[in-house]
Structure formats: C-alpha cells, structure tokens
Amino acid sequence: MKTLHLTIIISLLSIFMVNIDIACAQGGPIIMGPFSSLSQILSSGNNVYIMWSDYDAKEKVYRTLFRTINDGGKSFGHIYEMGNSFSGPAFSQMASHDNNLYIVLGNTLKKSSDYGNTFEDKIPVSTPTGGISNIVATENHV
C-alpha cells in the first residue's frame, strides 16, 4: 500500500511539474517560479496535498502556497495562499485523517474539515521554541 501511495505521489508531482511548464509556455500563471521550494506532499485516500514556498521579488516576501488534488490526480484544485514571511520560507507541516487536514505554519495552525477545500481561521499556538516542529492527526485530534 505504501508503494502505491508513493507511486501516486511521484506521478502527481510529475504531472504537476509538466502542468507548470505548459501553463508558462501558454502564458498562464506561473505556479512555481525560480525561487520556489517544495515544502511537503501528503496523501490520504484519493487526496494529495501539496505545499510550497515561493519568493515574490516585487513584494520581497515569501508566500506559502497550498494546492489539493481530490480526485486521484485527475485535476488540481485552487491555489491557496496560506501565509507570508519576510525572513525566508516558513517552516510548514501537514497531517490528515479522513476529511480533516491540519497545516502548521511556524506557530499557527489551520484546519480544513473538507479535504483542504476551505480552511478555518488561523489558531495561534505557543511553544517554548516559538514554532511547531511536527504534527500528527488521529480522528478529530491533532
């Protein structure tokens, strides 16, 4: 089963990168630019979640971006801007269980109860180190 998930993730990442090249060649929006870095890919059932950071040279800010694939790789969802950082790419983590998806950006947590299609307000989290280093989701708990 892990091999199947890994194969799906690698295939989707390849499709994602090809779609970027096609969009750029056809004058579409650039999804990942030359100063982008992939943060994490997470799979859960038929869903694949992709998060990356992109540097906006004009605004001089790093944007953390998120995209979901809810149909086994047939199409990509909307790109969500999850947060900004002026000092560098924000450390981010994702965890999911069933329809719940949790995203941590530094010291804030965002929750989606509909497979990453919408998100609740950010929840600030206080830790001794100033940020969350890892999260795990089980049922309705994170």
Side-chain angles (χ1 to χ4, degrees), residues 16-126:
F16 183 68
M17 298 307 287
V18 167
N19 284 344
I20 292 168
D21 291 341
I22 292 169
C24 292
Q26 295 175 351
I30 295 174
I31 297 169
M32 289 183 74
F35 300 106
S36 297
S37 61
L38 186 61
S39 298
Q40 188 178 4
I41 299 174
L42 176 69
S43 70
S44 178
N46 281 334
N47 307 303
V48 176
Y49 308 107
I50 303 170
M51 194 161 22
W52 71 97
S53 290
D54 188 42
Y55 181 68
D56 182 338
K58 183 178 178 183
E59 298 291 326
K60 297 185 180 173
V61 65
Y62 291 87
R63 302 185 193 288
T64 300
L65 304 169
F66 169 83
R67 191 169 223 184
T68 184
I69 304 160
N70 297 119
D71 56 7
K74 295 176 186 166
S75 63
F76 292 94
H78 178 75
I79 297 174
Y80 294 97
E81 187 172 313
M82 303 304 286
N84 296 333
S85 168
F86 293 100
S87 59
F91 180 77
S92 56
Q93 288 285 307
M94 291 187 287
S96 68
H97 185 271
D98 290 334
N99 60 315
N100 295 316
L101 173 67
Y102 304 91
I103 295 179
V104 171
L105 299 165
N107 61 352
T108 59
L109 174 71
K110 291 189 94 168
K111 178 185 177 186
S112 172
S113 298
D114 60 0
Y115 303 100
N117 293 308
T118 61
F119 288 91
E120 297 173 9
D121 290 336
K122 291 181 181 179
I123 302 167
V125 179
S126 173

